[in-house]
Amino acid sequence: MPVPARKRRRRTPGQIARGVRRRARRLAGRLRHVWRRSLQLRVVTSTLVLSMAVVVVLGVFLMQSIVASVLTSTEVSAVEESRANIATASGYLTQPVDSTDITQDATAQGQTMNPVDAAARALTDRSGGRYDVVILNEGSVGEGRASGQIDWSSIPALLREKVQSSEEQSLWDQTVKIRYIGAKQPESAWVVGGRVNGTYEIYHVFPLGEEEKTLLTVQQMVFGAGAALVLLLAGVASLVTRQVVTPVRLARQAAERLAAGRLEERLKVRGEDDLARLATSFNEMASNLAVKIHQLEELSQVQRQFVSDVSHELRTPLTTVRMAADLLYEGREDFDASSARAAELMQNQLERFESMLADLLEISRYDAGAATLDLDPVDMRDVVLRAVGDSETLAERQATRFELRLPNEPCMAEVDSRRVERILRNLLFNAIEHGEGKDIVVTLGADRDAVAVAVRDHGVGLKAGEETMVFDRFWRADPSRARTIGGTGLGLAISREDAMLHGGWLQAWGAPGEGSQFRLSLPRVAGSPLRGSPLPLVPPEVEMRRTWRGHATPVLTPAPVEAAPRARENVDAGAFDAE
């Protein structure tokens, strides 16, 4: 039996609205991205907008001028012709006409044409179809004569009042929407009215249909010409901008390739203009930069080779001196007090010298790119415990106690356990050196993608800007302060190289009087990118204490030493279970 298809759940209007808003935001984001990245688009769009504004202003001004010119000429000719017609009509309307004689079907009934009809016919014959005539008698309410099937009641009452109250043969004009008797549609017309013989009103109706058609044609032409002009200006702006932007884009691409290490990258020089001089200057800069980098590479190579050669050459005499020093140290009980002390000092300094020589050899291997990883899946808890065990003797001499915060479950990761243990030992030795005998907190945390170990001391701390300098070779926060445990000054530099070799981060935080914290973050799977750390760089108690003190501004977290994405500062609650 076939399984019925599951009905698709209908979306609610709210879900549809949210979906539309998300799509709109994504589209707006894409448009903003394109707008910010394209100089040519910004220039062409700005030119288009400004051109449209100019064309609209000019078009409106031009249309107003054309309309005023056409209507003014129409008004002048209408008034002059109306004045002449009124003078002619006054000859027909010398005798007052009774209202019973003024009927529109008088001619059809064969009656004698009265003066109103005679005047209307005479004026209509003179018009040649250019205008119509409406004659009204003030003494006859609801009566009138109109040619061209005009509904004479469409003459505005306001215009009639002006004509009736005006002097003899004074003219008044107005634009009117004239109605017709029959199927003809209303149209705009220029109406000029005046009084004749005290009781008659003569209105000349000049249709504006042809003028409106002319103005509409002119308007369409202006609009089309304006649109064509705007598009032409946009095309010209695009062409001109392209001539400028293309060399700049090529220069940007060449600069990116140059920054990526392709020092042979050069620009083609065409012409002698500013862009050609820019290309020439760029090529000269690239050539000088390539020469300087080549010189620095040679100098760096010589320095690395010198350190490597000296380190290797020192091993043979150091072995001989070591054997002699061991013999003297073993027989120190037979010496006098000063000689025995000298043997002990020589033994200690030889151990420090051997450690420094080993660090120099390790640094030379990093510089030569010969360092490799021996990866194995290990439990990071065991690595932390071994590093703490190697540091306990030194911690006891400095009256320092370790506080371990390890998770209850295994934290497996693919790492080189020897190098990670060395990183942790260097961090622990550094914490013992600067912890002023206070407790050192070692925290291990893990999430799905990464593991992290944080070493927290409560000593002198770090000043602003020293979070990255602390990983420089032979760097000291206080040069006048002597080392108490015989460090070489290369431990943190080697630790950073080991962390980078794993694809991880080694970061530092510190504040004067609040101690410091170093955080090692490593990917759980070798080769996978590290996107965040399961432990915060700033200790949580510091954040809480500053919040309680009223500092609402969050503590700024220093960026990773390496060029890596910003770590997400989330804390795995299981990482703080005390052992």
Side-chain angles (χ1 to χ4, degrees):
M1 182 177 179
V3 180
R6 185 170 55 184
K7 291 184 178 180
R8 185 176 180 180
R9 186 177 179 181
R10 298 186 62 182
R11 298 170 61 187
T12 63
Q15 292 174 337
I16 295 175
R18 287 192 294 271
V20 171
R21 285 196 297 269
R22 284 196 299 269
R23 293 186 180 90
R25 285 195 295 268
R26 285 197 294 266
L27 179 59
R30 295 192 187 98
L31 292 178
R32 284 195 299 269
H33 179 72
V34 174
W35 176 263
R36 289 194 299 266
R37 290 182 61 87
S38 178
L39 174 62
Q40 185 175 7
L41 176 62
R42 293 200 299 272
V43 173
V44 172
T45 304
S46 302
T47 304
L48 186 63
V49 172
L50 293 176
S51 301
M52 290 178 61
V54 172
V55 168
V56 168
V57 172
L58 291 179
V60 171
F61 176 76
L62 183 61
M63 283 302 303
Q64 289 178 348
S65 300
I66 294 174
V67 170
S69 176
V70 171
L71 294 182
T72 300
S73 62
T74 302
E75 178 183 3
V76 170
S77 62
V79 170
E80 293 298 328
E81 192 160 2
S82 299
R83 191 180 303 278
N85 289 340
I86 289 176
T88 301
S90 63
Y92 291 94
L93 302 174
T94 53
Q95 298 297 328
V97 180
D98 188 71
S99 61
T100 59
D101 297 330
I102 306 177
T103 58
Q104 294 186 2
D105 56 350
T107 303
Q109 295 176 356
Q111 298 176 2
T112 303
M113 184 179 295
N114 57 47
V116 175
D117 291 332
R121 173 164 294 186
L123 297 181
T124 303
D125 293 340
R126 293 184 60 181
S127 69
R130 292 180 291 107
Y131 57 86
D132 292 305
V133 178
V134 177
I135 301 178
L136 301 176
N137 187 356
E138 295 181 9
S140 301
V141 179
E143 297 293 340
R145 294 289 184 273
S147 64
Q149 298 296 319
I150 293 179
D151 183 1
W152 54 265
S153 63
S154 60
I155 303 299
L158 180 61
L159 179 61
R160 292 197 63 183
E161 291 177 0
K162 292 179 179 179
V163 172
Q164 292 171 3
S165 61
S166 64
E167 297 179 356
E168 189 76 18
Q169 295 187 352
S170 297
L171 300 181
W172 294 88
D173 57 84
Q174 181 178 341
T175 302
V176 177
K177 197 74 171 180
I178 295 296
R179 298 186 301 274
Y180 294 91
I181 300 173
K184 190 174 180 179
Q185 297 295 324
E187 63 178 345
S188 298
W190 193 270
V191 178
V192 180
R195 291 182 64 195
V196 177
N197 296 335
T199 59
Y200 295 102
E201 305 168 23
I202 299 179
Y203 297 93
H204 292 76
V205 180
F206 294 85
L208 297 177
E210 295 297 329
E211 286 79 0
E212 289 182 345
K213 291 180 181 178
T214 302
L215 293 176
L216 180 61
T217 303
V218 173
Q219 182 179 3
Q220 292 175 349
M221 292 177 62
V222 170
F223 178 78
L229 180 61
V230 169
L231 294 178
L232 180 61
L233 290 175
V236 171
S238 177
L239 179 61
V240 174
T241 307
R242 184 180 181 85
Q243 294 178 352
V244 177
V245 170
T246 299
V248 174
R249 185 180 294 118
L250 294 176
R252 187 261 303 169
Q253 294 172 354
E256 290 177 351
R257 289 191 290 269
L258 187 67
R262 298 173 58 180
L263 302 179
E264 72 282 356
E265 189 68 30
R266 297 294 183 273
L267 290 175
K268 294 182 179 180
V269 180
R270 299 184 179 90
E272 298 180 358
D273 55 8
D274 292 336
L275 294 175
R277 291 198 294 270
L278 173 63
T280 302
S281 301
F282 179 87
N283 293 338
E284 292 177 355
M285 179 196 68
S287 299
N288 295 333
L289 183 62
V291 171
K292 293 296 183 182
I293 291 178
H294 182 67
Q295 293 176 353
L296 292 174
E297 287 179 347
E298 290 182 346
L299 179 60
S300 178
Q301 180 65 28
V302 169
Q303 291 177 342
R304 289 196 299 266
Q305 189 64 36
F306 174 77
V307 172
S308 178
D309 293 344
V310 169
S311 300
H312 282 87
E313 291 298 328
L314 287 177
R315 294 186 68 87
T316 300
L318 180 61
T319 302
T320 303
V321 174
R322 180 67 179 178
M323 294 173 60
D326 288 341
L327 291 175
L328 293 175
Y329 185 75
E330 291 175 357
R332 69 184 182 280
E333 296 180 356
D334 299 332
F335 301 155
D336 55 73
S338 58
S339 299
R341 179 58 179 165
E344 293 177 356
L345 291 176
M346 184 172 63
Q347 184 75 8
N348 293 334
Q349 293 303 314
L350 278 174
E351 290 178 355
R352 182 182 179 186
F353 188 72
E354 284 182 336
S355 177
M356 182 181 297
L357 186 60
D359 290 344
L360 287 173
L361 288 173
E362 189 69 21
I363 287 290
S364 65
R365 280 193 289 270
Y366 281 117
D367 292 339
T372 58
L373 293 176
D374 185 12
L375 298 173
D376 287 308
V378 297
D379 188 352
M380 288 296 296
R381 297 182 302 175
D382 298 334
V383 177
V384 172
L385 291 176
R386 287 196 296 269
V388 171
D390 294 339
S391 308
E392 283 183 346
T393 302
L394 180 61
E396 290 176 357
R397 290 206 302 264
Q398 300 293 326
T400 301
R401 188 176 65 88
F402 291 118
E403 179 183 348
L404 302 182
R405 299 177 180 178
L406 306 179
N408 296 325
E409 298 180 356
C411 295
M412 304 302 296
E414 295 181 3
V415 297
D416 187 337
S417 58
R418 179 183 66 86
R419 294 183 183 275
V420 175
E421 285 182 27
R422 181 169 61 188
I423 295 174
L424 297 180
R425 282 197 302 271
N426 288 329
L427 297 181
L428 292 172
F429 288 170
N430 181 77
I432 295 171
E433 170 78 18
H434 300 91
E436 298 183 339
K438 300 178 182 178
D439 291 351
I440 297 174
V441 180
V442 181
T443 306
L444 173 63
D447 59 15
R448 184 182 61 182
D449 301 320
V451 295
V453 181
V455 178
R456 168 85 162 99
D457 67 73
H458 300 81
V460 295
L462 296 173
K463 299 178 182 178
E466 294 181 349
E467 296 86 358
T468 57
M469 298 171 61
V470 72
F471 297 104
D472 294 342
R473 300 175 184 181
F474 301 106
W475 182 84
R476 289 188 182 184
D478 185 4
S480 62
R481 188 173 184 268
R483 300 183 186 273
T484 60
I485 62 174
T488 63
L490 295 172
L492 292 179
I494 293 175
S495 299
R496 181 181 62 175
E497 298 290 346
D498 283 332
M500 294 174 62
L501 195 62
H502 283 82
W505 306 332
L506 182 57
Q507 302 161 268
W509 167 87
E514 294 186 351
S516 60
Q517 177 166 289
F518 288 77
R519 183 182 65 180
L520 172 65
S521 304
L522 302 173
R524 301 193 73 163
V525 179
S528 60
L530 186 62
R531 296 185 178 86
S533 179
L535 294 180
L537 181 57
V538 180
E541 66 272 12
V542 175
E543 291 276 15
M544 295 173 61
R545 186 163 57 251
R546 293 187 178 184
T547 302
W548 290 339
R549 291 175 182 173
H551 297 280
T553 303
V555 180
L556 297 179
T557 302
V561 175
E562 303 78 33
R566 185 184 299 273
R568 63 176 187 274
E569 302 297 344
N570 60 325
V571 181
D572 184 2
F576 292 95
D577 296 333
E579 185 185 34

